[in-house]
Amino acid sequence: PSAIDVSNPLRILVFYSAQAVIRILDNNLVDQSELDLRSMGIIQPKVMAGTPDQGIWIFDEISASLIKIDTRLNSSALSVDLTQLTGRRPNPIRLIANQNWVIMHDQQGIILFDQFGTKLKSIPLDTPSIVLQLSENSLIYSDKGQLMSYQMNLNAFQKENNLCPKNAVKAYFSEEKCWFL
């Protein structure tokens, strides 16, 4: 698998980007269904993220766009070619989504979208972020070893207490604790 999304433990998504397939498992890891993305017109999916409304966001490298698949397996949202919006071809590492926001993380920064796939903001990063966490209205990430938060509703950046060591390879920030590798 290229990625596993366990944001909903009752609906686990296992993504195989090379085969363009997403397998949906239940909480007992029993196979429930399989989505063949190529048959849906998504030829080269790179990253995916599940949403609380049972949808799935996917970035397609061929069209350079975000596509949201709803519970009826229809494309319910589609962004424009992100190459036109960002002035460069995105190469996403990770996609994170919740009910209101979609975050695309790549080597050059973070791109914030609303729940309809409309690009709202780009946050350039000098070094790849090791911490990336999306909550209801804020994004926590690291930049140059400093833990930062971006408040979406206020359009404001804020420095956070850095609980994670600077030499961490991966980290997850949760309730004033840092889990790191």
Side-chain angles (χ1 to χ4, degrees):
S2 307
I4 299 173
D5 186 314
V6 292
S7 55
N8 179 353
L10 301 176
R11 184 175 179 254
I12 299 167
L13 304 174
V14 182
F15 176 54
Y16 300 89
S17 68
Q19 292 80 21
V21 168
I22 298 175
R23 298 194 71 81
I24 301 174
L25 311 177
D26 67 9
N27 61 330
N28 293 316
L29 302 179
V30 175
D31 196 9
Q32 297 298 307
S33 62
E34 178 178 296
L35 300 177
D36 180 6
L37 299 174
R38 290 193 178 116
S39 69
M40 300 172 73
I42 303 169
I43 306 303
Q44 197 170 352
K46 175 83 173 180
V47 290
M48 68 93 201
T51 63
D53 64 356
Q54 306 299 315
I56 302 170
W57 280 101
I58 299 167
F59 176 76
D60 183 24
E61 282 189 298
I62 298 292
S63 64
S65 60
L66 278 176
I67 302 161
K68 184 177 183 187
I69 300 171
D70 63 15
T71 55
R72 295 186 190 125
L73 303 180
N74 297 320
S75 295
S76 61
L78 175 68
S79 73
V80 298
D81 185 341
L82 297 179
T83 306
Q84 295 173 355
L85 286 180
T86 60
R88 63 180 177 84
R89 187 124 181 120
N91 186 14
I93 301 168
R94 190 169 162 201
L95 203 60
I96 302 172
N98 65 15
Q99 196 65 33
N100 302 316
W101 314 103
V102 180
I103 302 295
M104 182 186 294
H105 179 222
D106 72 0
Q107 294 293 336
Q108 296 181 5
I110 299 168
I111 305 171
L112 171 66
F113 302 88
D114 67 9
Q115 74 265 25
F116 305 110
T118 304
K119 180 184 174 275
L120 300 176
K121 185 166 195 68
S122 290
I123 303 171
L125 299 174
D126 292 330
T127 58
S129 182
I130 59 165
V131 177
L132 190 61
Q133 181 179 335
L134 179 63
S135 63
E136 187 174 333
N137 285 308
S138 67
L139 169 68
I140 297 175
Y141 64 96
S142 64
D143 189 23
K144 299 178 192 166
Q146 174 64 50
L147 199 60
M148 300 289 294
S149 71
Y150 174 69
Q151 304 299 318
M152 276 85 126
N153 293 344
L154 302 174
N155 192 21
F157 293 92
Q158 174 181 333
K159 288 186 179 181
E160 297 286 332
N161 292 331
N162 200 355
L163 303 171
C164 301
K166 291 183 180 181
N167 62 348
V169 176
K170 291 185 179 182
Y172 177 75
F173 186 70
S174 171
E175 298 178 15
E176 299 189 20
K177 293 181 182 176
C178 179
W179 307 94
F180 64 92
L181 172 64

